[in-house]
Amino acid sequence: MKGTNLGEFEELVLLTIASLASEAYSVAICDELEKYTGRTAKLGVVHSVLNRLEEKGLAKSRLGEASSTRGGKRKRFYEVSHAGKVALTKSKEVRENIWRNIPGFNLEGSI
C-alpha cells in the first residue's frame, strides 16, 4: 500500500464516493464533483485518482451487472475502505484544528 496522505482532489473524490454510497461510479462521481465544486471534472483525471485511491487502499471497487443500455458493459462501483474513512477523518481533524487556530477568523455563529 502506498502512502495514505490525501491530496486535495483525492480527498474530494473520496468524499464524493462516500456521499454517493452505492451509486458511486466514475460518471456519477464527475457529475457530483462538478455540482459540489462548480468546476469541470474530467473523466480521465477522475479515473486516475480512483486508481490511485485503490492503490493506496483508501477505496475499493466492484463490477456491477451488465446492462443492455450500456451495450452489455458493466459499471465499476467504488466505496470508501476502512483506511479511507480513517484518512478522511484525520484530514477533517487537521483542517478543523488549523481553522480553530486562525486568529480573528472564527466564523461559527456568524452565519
Side-chain angles (χ1 to χ4, degrees):
M1 176 170 70
K2 287 188 172 184
T4 56
N5 289 331
L6 286 175
E8 179 190 9
F9 196 63
E10 289 176 329
E11 182 179 0
L12 289 173
V13 170
L14 209 52
L15 286 167
T16 302
I17 292 169
S19 73
L20 286 168
S22 63
E23 293 301 313
Y25 63 97
S26 58
V27 173
I29 292 167
C30 285
D31 292 345
E32 289 296 295
L33 282 168
E34 288 181 27
K35 183 174 86 174
Y36 292 137
T37 66
R39 300 183 305 197
T40 301
K42 296 190 182 224
L43 190 57
V45 174
V46 170
H47 274 243
S48 293
V49 170
L50 290 168
N51 289 334
R52 195 163 53 247
L53 289 171
E54 280 197 284
E55 288 173 7
K56 289 181 174 185
L58 303 176
K60 50 190 173 181
S61 67
R62 64 173 174 77
L63 287 174
E65 297 298 319
S67 70
S68 59
T69 57
R70 293 178 45 85
K73 292 184 180 179
R74 298 162 57 172
K75 287 182 187 175
R76 181 170 295 278
F77 291 93
Y78 293 87
E79 64 181 278
V80 178
S81 68
H82 176 73
K85 291 175 186 175
V86 170
L88 283 173
T89 300
K90 179 181 173 188
S91 179
K92 181 177 185 267
E93 289 170 355
V94 167
R95 289 176 188 272
E96 287 175 348
N97 285 334
I98 294 170
W99 276 103
R100 275 194 294 275
N101 287 305
I102 300 174
F105 210 77
N106 185 349
L107 298 177
E108 290 180 18
S110 64
I111 298 177

